[in-house]
């Protein structure tokens, strides 16, 4: 099972960026935690971060046919980017939206996500654990999709 993790702008500065809000773990440390959790779940992780909207669009476009699922923390682009929304719509890959912080407990401009209604679900507010919880949720969802419960496909 392949899971891609897509990280948006300024997440490369985790560890030094507003540590009182985002904690002191670096993005590399979060990546290590996700990979550590992925191994026993049988998931292979592809990790990507960019500060550039176009690069994120291309990374999402490349998911088509290349991954089973994704975790997406689009950071500030979550709240602004129709281009990322269109990319996610175009590739039709199941994903979980993740955020370190609880975006609904913050400024109003962060309450809206242009991706959330396209996601299987959203994990926000648990710091680096949001990624681990999102991974567990994504893998669980994919496993259920592979082996639907009896009757689950009946309408
Ligand atoms: C964030 C929340 C966004 O509002 C913010 O712009 C970020 C990080 C989070 O993980 O909490 O850069 O996505």
């Amino acid at each position: 099972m392949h899971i891609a993790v897509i990280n948006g702008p300024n997440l490369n500065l985790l560890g030094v960026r507003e540590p009182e809000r985002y904690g002191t773990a670096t993005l590399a440390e979060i990546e290590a935690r996700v990979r550590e959790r992925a191994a026993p779940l049988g998931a292979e992780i592809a990790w990507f971060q960019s500060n550039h909207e176009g690069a994120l669009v291309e990374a999402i476009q490349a998911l088509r046919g290349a991954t089973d699922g994704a975790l997406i923390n689009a950071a500030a682009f979550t709240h602004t980017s129709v281009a990322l929304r269109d990319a996610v719509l175009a590739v039709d890959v199941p994903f979980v939206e993740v955020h370190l912080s609880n975006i609904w407990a913050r400024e109003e401009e962060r309450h809206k996500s242009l991706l959330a209604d396209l996601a299987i679900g959203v994990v926000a507010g648990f710091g680096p654990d949001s990624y681990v919880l999102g991974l567990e949720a994504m893998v669980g969802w994919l496993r259920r999709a592979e082996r639907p419960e009896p009757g689950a496909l009946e309408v």
Side-chain angles (χ1 to χ4, degrees):
M1 182 182 292
H2 292 86
I3 307 289
V5 186
I6 307 274
N7 293 283
N10 300 306
L11 294 173
N12 56 313
L13 295 181
L14 287 176
V16 292
R17 173 192 180 202
E18 298 181 75
E20 65 291 349
R21 182 182 304 285
Y22 294 118
T24 53
T26 64
L27 193 60
E29 286 164 353
I30 295 173
E31 177 181 355
R33 279 197 57 194
V34 168
R35 289 187 185 280
E36 195 183 350
R37 182 65 188 111
L41 293 174
E44 276 184 45
I45 300 296
W47 191 270
F48 182 79
Q49 188 276 330
S50 179
N51 294 324
H52 302 280
E53 190 174 17
L56 291 161
V57 166
E58 284 172 1
I60 291 170
Q61 286 183 4
L63 297 181
R64 179 185 274 282
T67 194
D68 298 297
L71 306 184
I72 301 181
N73 183 355
F77 289 142
T78 305
H79 318 296
T80 61
S81 179
V82 177
L84 289 190
R85 178 181 177 84
D86 286 349
V88 164
L89 277 167
V91 297
D92 194 25
V93 166
F95 74 99
V96 174
E97 177 173 331
V98 298
H99 297 284
L100 297 147
S101 63
N102 178 354
I103 56 175
W104 296 281
R106 300 182 58 188
E107 311 95 299
E108 202 171 335
E109 61 269 24
R110 296 182 202 272
H111 294 182
K112 178 149 182 71
S113 165
L114 293 179
L115 305 179
D117 63 306
L118 306 176
I120 296 164
V122 180
V123 184
F126 297 96
D129 285 348
S130 292
Y131 283 76
V132 176
L133 293 166
L135 173 70
E136 290 170 348
M138 186 72 256
V139 170
W141 188 93
L142 286 167
R143 287 203 182 128
R144 285 192 296 280
E146 275 168 20
R147 291 192 297 278
E149 285 165 27
L153 294 180
E154 290 164 23
V155 186

